[in-house]
Amino acid sequence: MTSTYRVQLTPDFGFAEAADLVDYLRELGAGRLYLSPILQAVRESRHGYDVVDHARIRDEFGGEEGLRALAARGMPLISDIVPNHMTVPLPESENVQLWSALRDGPESPHARWFDFQWPVALPVLGDEPGGLVVDGEVLRYYDHEFPIRPGTGHLPLPELLEAQHYRLVNWRESPGYRRFFDVSSLMGLRVEDPEVFQATHAVTFRLIDDGVIEGLRVDHPDGLADPRGYLRRLRPHVPGPLWVEKILIDDERLPSDWPCDGTTGYDALNMITRLLVDPSSRERLIETFARHTGVRDGYEDVRHESKKHVIELFFRGEVDRLTADLGDPGLRDAVAELLAAMPVYRAYVNPGEQPPEESVRLIQEAAREAAARTDPDAVAKTANLVLYGPPEAVTRFQQTCGPVMAKGVEDTALYRWYPLACLNEVGGEPDRFGVTPDEFHAFAAGLPPRTMTTLSTHDTKRSEDVRARLAVLSEMPEEWALAVDSWAASVSFDPRLDYLAWQSLMAAWPISVERFTDYLLKGAREAKTTISWMNPDPAYEDGVREFARRAIEVCGYSVASFTEVVDRYARVNSLGQKVVQLLMPGVPDVYQGNEITDFSLVDPDNRRPVDFERRRRLLAAPDDSWDGQKLLVTTTALKLRQRFDPEAAYTPIEAGEHAIAFARGDRAVAVATRLPVGLERRGGWGSETLALPPGRWRDLLTGAEHTGRIPMAHLLSRYPIAILEG
């Protein structure tokens, strides 16, 4: 296992199109083809996480026949799987298991699939009355369909509704089931039940047994009742790689008793980004952000406020259910404050077991923070109960932490507090400006050898090259302040959105008005300061559209000029982070298209179709453009990975303030420039040298050979990075 290349399958890009990529990917140096979910999802789905049938490979991609034809091309396949939830489709009759459970209630053989409260509240009704029609054995509500409980179809409508195993409620109300975050159309599965586990994984296991699929990436394990238990059941079926989409915060590490190869790489992504950021600009950038937005609160306060906001907006039902499980309705405020104070996605307490020391520490630390905001005795009681109390409460608290963290931080706080937006990534901490080379070396040396590393994914808030540009601002905060002051003086709309807009416009330049508008509308809805997905405001949204159009029309020339200056240094960041990620410990993943520059924003922008023909041409005839250099770095590093042991020792090499360097065993050395603006301002490398490990080393990018101590100015004379093979 040397590397993976992730592709997003869509109805327009299925197994046949992926098969056409295999020769290109081999030439690029990719080791495995890593596919987004392949089971049958909603027909028009562009992502595949809304699975509707676990017994079928998705028809729109070419079905199982197409998948087997792709596998026959000889590149091993990794599949993304979705154990936490399946979709509530429209019409609902397309989900066979859900239909059975709603029709027959607790007596249904499929009732055990779902985490229901009977009768199940289904939030589908609009604000206007009417629309419900009985049609034989089906209850219809516009495009919705619901089964009628046998023997109740003759009743008058009010009595019929009362007789069902479900209750239709307003779309704003909380559902009577566990869901994926706040998405009521994604219903949680009880894969802790052996029967459900087997039924939802049977096709996947058969494909692994047949050699069609080699390994798996597990989506959102934190939503499961027992992630560790799930992985222990899964691991024997997966002899190949097994990764989990686990978001780690700061120095958090994956639980040591999880039988998997590691995470999908957000921890590595955030550390690499911090490596590019100059911490000395922290206060200046925060001051510029505060001056433009009016936000004077620190990130910790904004994060708490955001988590409390989403608890009341989205998760009232979950908090009420958790409070009921705790057996004391007076604990509701304490529950909400404890959830808001949790610093991580989950603390991994398993009912009936002594909680791990780290889990106790995390919950007690959160309790101390929560106690400052509500009744300390109630908080202490709540903390004790979620550690040692009723099994249902212990599990439900764990399952609720993740959604509150994801919606409160990823999808709210990160859109409210953004002095330097490259730090506002999944699992990132936007108030942590930079790490030193020594801190990065310590992190890298501690990584599991087969964990995944990445720089971009289908879920990143910004692509790697957008972050490379934004990181440059940390080295030129004065110039940035002057530029954004001039743009804001020319075009303005909402101070809480405008500053994010200017960072995004510069970092994604050139960008169409349509793409820019779509991003700003999503950003405003996620921030929830004026509008949200639940509470639109057409007049405000029209204002966003007008701002986006005028920002490009009026300030586009100036933005382009500023970006041109930034790109002298962003190219250095882009190539440097690529070298580091591809050669550091772990299995590197390349997200579709990011072997050359990609300036995408949050999904769905980063899931747009990729021009693979352009990449093929460039690989066949490389040039010295930024794209050409990034492709050269990518293919050189990926092919080098194939020639050294994936578990080769990681050895830091002292390289001063403006470089990061390390060796992998005795076969590879990576050197990358960092903080290039500061390097230029001090006059370049001067007399700095780098001591190579013993032996002769060939620079695979230039062909030059080196040995011993070499001047940095010589080593990095052509490229700001070096890839050496011994």
Side-chain angles (χ1 to χ4, degrees):
M1 171 59 67
T2 60
S3 65
T4 61
Y5 189 99
R6 164 85 178 204
V7 295
Q8 289 297 111
L9 300 170
T10 70
D12 309 313
F13 189 94
F15 299 135
E17 289 76 14
D20 288 341
L21 280 184
V22 168
D23 289 342
Y24 164 73
L25 296 179
R26 282 201 185 97
E27 189 177 355
L28 185 68
R32 302 291 187 272
L33 180 54
Y34 165 25
L35 305 173
S36 59
I38 61 175
L39 296 180
Q40 186 62 51
V42 174
R43 284 188 291 273
E44 64 276 12
S45 174
R46 308 294 296 179
H47 52 76
Y49 291 93
D50 41 4
V51 174
V52 72
D53 186 352
H54 292 84
R56 288 199 338 263
I57 300 301
R58 193 166 172 190
D59 294 334
E60 294 79 20
F61 297 166
E64 186 166 333
E65 182 180 352
L67 177 63
R68 288 180 178 272
L70 169 58
R73 295 298 302 272
M75 178 167 279
L77 303 180
I78 308 297
S79 176
D80 196 341
I81 62 170
V82 192
N84 176 67
H85 56 267
M86 67 187 305
T87 197
V88 182
L90 196 65
E92 287 76 1
S93 55
E94 292 185 5
N95 185 325
V96 173
Q97 291 79 23
L98 175 61
W99 190 262
S100 167
L102 293 180
R103 183 188 62 216
D104 300 325
E107 301 306 312
S108 164
H110 296 109
R112 65 198 304 166
W113 278 50
F114 306 105
D115 190 0
F116 280 160
Q117 283 180 299
W118 299 102
V120 186
L122 301 176
V124 299
L125 299 179
D127 295 328
E128 299 297 325
L132 286 167
V133 176
V134 175
D135 182 8
E137 298 302 312
V138 176
L139 177 64
R140 301 188 186 278
Y141 180 71
Y142 300 104
D143 293 334
H144 295 276
E145 294 179 354
F146 305 99
I148 293 177
R149 183 176 180 177
T152 66
H154 65 286
L155 296 172
L157 183 59
E159 295 177 27
L160 181 145
L161 292 175
E162 284 296 317
Q164 303 312 306
H165 294 292
Y166 52 85
R167 296 285 180 268
L168 303 184
V169 300
N170 185 270
W171 68 277
R172 298 174 188 273
E173 294 187 33
S174 297
Y177 51 85
R178 182 174 58 83
R179 54 188 168 169
F180 175 73
F181 297 162
D182 63 328
V183 185
S184 295
S185 62
L186 296 177
M187 183 177 288
L189 289 170
R190 297 184 62 252
V191 292
E192 65 271 21
D193 184 299
E195 183 178 306
V196 179
F197 175 84
Q198 189 58 41
T200 54
H201 290 72
V203 168
T204 299
F205 292 160
R206 176 168 55 79
L207 292 169
I208 293 174
D209 292 342
D210 290 351
V212 177
I213 294 172
E214 182 186 65
L216 300 176
R217 176 261 198 196
V218 177
D219 182 66
H220 188 47
D222 279 346
L224 304 177
D226 180 9
R228 183 192 64 189
Y230 170 77
L231 291 171
R232 286 177 174 175
R233 290 192 300 275
L234 186 66
R235 178 83 267 187
H237 296 276
V238 188
L242 178 59
W243 292 295
V244 291
E245 188 221 16
K246 166 60 190 167
I247 311 304
L248 301 171
I249 304 297
D250 198 15
D251 59 355
E252 184 187 9
R253 293 292 176 263
L254 200 65
S256 60
D257 56 0
W258 282 20
C260 65
D261 292 294
T263 76
T264 51
Y266 286 106
D267 47 348
L269 180 158
N270 282 301
M271 285 297 287
I272 294 170
T273 297
R274 292 176 189 135
L275 193 60
L276 308 179
V277 171
D278 184 351
S280 68
S281 66
R282 184 182 192 277
E283 297 308 318
R284 183 69 179 93
L285 287 170
I286 290 175
E287 190 278 328
T288 302
F289 162 75
R291 179 164 53 82
H292 277 272
T293 63
V295 177
R296 295 288 173 180
D297 290 338
Y299 173 63
E300 293 296 329
D301 289 335
V302 170
R303 184 177 66 175
H304 176 264
E305 178 186 346
S306 299
K307 293 179 78 174
K308 284 298 296 293
H309 186 166
V310 301
I311 286 170
E312 293 307 314
L313 187 64
F314 300 129
F315 300 119
R316 293 190 304 273
E318 283 81 353
V319 171
D320 289 343
R321 191 172 178 186
L322 176 55
T323 303
D325 290 339
L326 293 172
D328 185 346
L331 297 179
R332 190 187 189 285
D333 287 347
V335 168
E337 288 293 352
L338 189 61
L339 286 167
M342 284 295 292
V344 295
Y345 282 70
R346 187 160 175 155
Y348 305 107
V349 178
N350 294 297
E353 298 180 14
Q354 179 65 29
E357 183 178 325
E358 177 64 7
S359 301
V360 174
R361 184 190 69 79
L362 286 167
I363 290 175
Q364 289 180 343
E365 179 183 298
R368 283 193 292 273
E369 181 180 326
R373 293 187 166 97
T374 190
D375 181 358
D377 292 337
V379 170
K381 181 178 180 180
T382 301
N384 186 69
L385 286 171
V386 301
L387 283 167
Y388 308 104
E392 184 79 4
V394 171
T395 298
R396 197 169 304 284
F397 179 79
Q398 296 293 318
Q399 287 180 292
T400 308
C401 285
V404 170
M405 191 76 167
K407 298 305 297 182
V409 178
E410 283 182 43
D411 294 343
T412 305
L414 295 187
Y415 288 91
R416 294 182 178 185
W417 203 89
Y418 45 86
L420 185 62
C422 63
L423 299 172
N424 290 45
E425 198 43 82
V426 177
E429 295 173 285
D431 60 344
R432 186 179 179 189
F433 283 66
V435 295
T436 66
D438 285 345
E439 288 173 317
F440 179 82
H441 287 315
F443 167 81
L447 283 175
R450 295 184 183 272
T451 193
M452 184 179 281
T453 67
T454 191
L455 290 176
S456 298
T457 78
H458 60 291
D459 276 338
T460 40
K461 304 295 184 186
R462 294 156 190 85
S463 68
E464 59 204 64
D465 294 311
V466 167
R467 295 198 308 276
R469 281 174 166 171
L470 288 167
V472 175
L473 303 184
S474 71
E475 293 199 81
M476 39 194 300
E478 303 297 336
E479 295 89 334
W480 166 248
L482 290 173
V484 77
D485 284 352
S486 70
W487 303 335
S490 300
V491 182
S492 62
F493 172 59
D494 179 351
R496 292 168 294 186
L497 182 66
D498 292 2
Y499 192 66
L500 180 65
W502 295 122
Q503 289 189 65
S504 304
L505 183 61
M506 184 283 295
W509 188 266
I511 185 171
S512 68
V513 172
E514 180 183 18
R515 283 179 57 211
F516 189 41
T517 299
D518 288 347
Y519 173 72
L520 293 183
L521 285 171
K522 179 165 184 170
R525 291 164 180 153
E526 299 285 35
K528 307 170 189 66
T529 52
T530 303
I531 62 171
S532 69
W533 298 104
M534 293 179 68
N535 295 295
D537 179 343
Y540 181 90
E541 291 164 17
D542 286 344
V544 171
R545 295 184 180 94
E546 177 67 7
F547 170 83
R549 183 189 65 78
R550 293 193 66 242
I552 291 176
E553 181 181 287
V554 174
C555 301
Y557 180 82
S558 176
V559 171
S561 298
F562 187 86
T563 305
E564 185 177 2
V565 174
V566 166
D567 279 354
R568 291 167 48 192
Y569 313 104
R571 181 188 298 216
V572 176
N573 287 342
S574 170
L575 301 181
Q577 66 183 354
K578 203 69 172 176
V579 167
V580 170
Q581 183 245 336
L582 294 179
L583 293 177
M584 69 189 287
V587 177
D589 176 58
V590 176
Y591 180 61
Q592 60 177 25
N594 279 257
E595 59 269 34
I596 69 173
T597 58
D598 177 74
F599 299 100
S600 296
L601 298 169
V602 73
D603 67 279
D605 194 58
N606 61 11
R607 302 176 186 177
R608 290 170 294 144
V610 175
D611 185 352
F612 284 110
E613 282 306 310
R614 177 165 179 254
R615 287 156 177 80
R616 282 190 177 98
R617 292 194 301 269
L618 192 57
L619 188 61
D623 59 32
D624 205 38
S625 65
W626 186 350
D627 283 339
Q629 290 182 359
K630 189 176 179 188
L631 185 61
L632 175 65
V633 166
T634 302
T635 189
T636 301
L638 289 178
K639 289 176 179 177
L640 177 56
R641 291 288 310 212
Q642 297 175 346
R643 299 194 292 271
F644 70 77
D645 184 346
E647 299 191 23
Y650 177 89
T651 306
I653 299 175
E654 174 57 43
E657 179 186 3
H658 289 284
I660 183 80
F662 55 85
R664 297 300 311 278
D666 58 1
R667 291 298 305 276
V669 167
V671 184
T673 303
R674 61 186 293 266
L675 307 183
V677 178
L679 177 64
E680 180 181 82
R681 286 175 175 169
R682 77 171 201 180
W685 294 109
S687 60
E688 275 197 52
T689 61
L690 183 130
L692 294 172
R696 298 193 66 82
W697 296 89
R698 180 171 177 267
D699 189 330
L700 299 179
L701 302 178
T702 66
E705 293 196 352
H706 306 289
T707 185
R709 184 171 289 277
I710 182 170
M712 292 289 279
H714 177 54
L715 178 65
L716 304 180
S717 60
R718 182 170 176 186
Y719 299 107
I721 40 76
I723 300 175
L724 309 177
E725 184 173 17

